[in-house]
């Protein structure tokens, strides 16, 4: 859904999502799994007192010299648009 390059573009994407879902928060959903220079992790976007997250995502990131080089993101659960 997004092709963001650089920390400013990534930050702008997160801000845009937060503006679409005021009061919701991103949270890591479990441990980050790492193998060499590759990481994978699941995250949730949810309202503070919600029983279920509104959005569930799964990302895979590659590192280069200890910095994020590339991230592939997958959306496992998204809200239905009416």
């Amino acid at each position: 859904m997004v092709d963001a390059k650089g920390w400013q573009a990534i930050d702008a994407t997160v801000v845009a999502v937060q503006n679409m879902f005021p009061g919701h928060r991103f949270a890591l959903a479990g441990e980050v799994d790492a193998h060499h220079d590759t990481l994978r992790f699941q995250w949730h976007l949810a309202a503070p007192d919600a029983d279920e997250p509104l959005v569930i995502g799964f990302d895979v990131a590659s590192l280069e010299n200890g910095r994020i080089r590339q991230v592939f993101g997958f959306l496992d659960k998204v809200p239905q648009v009416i």
Side-chain angles (χ1 to χ4, degrees):
M1 295 175 70
V2 135
D3 185 7
K5 294 183 177 152
W7 70 266
Q8 289 131 335
I10 294 168
D11 184 62
T13 300
V14 171
V15 168
V17 172
Q18 289 174 326
N19 286 336
M20 290 171 51
F21 301 100
H24 290 65
R25 298 286 180 253
F26 285 102
L28 192 58
E31 299 293 320
V32 175
D33 191 19
H35 181 68
H36 297 290
D37 290 335
T38 304
L39 311 171
R40 67 178 177 169
F41 55 94
Q42 189 178 56
W43 53 266
H44 293 166
L45 177 69
D49 296 325
D51 292 332
E52 298 268 331
L54 182 64
V55 180
I56 298 173
F58 178 87
D59 290 359
V60 177
S62 63
L63 303 178
E64 187 174 281
N65 298 321
R67 296 177 62 123
I68 295 173
R69 181 181 167 276
Q70 192 169 29
V71 176
F72 294 97
F74 301 87
L75 296 175
D76 297 325
K77 177 184 175 187
V78 294
Q80 290 186 343
V81 178
I82 299 174

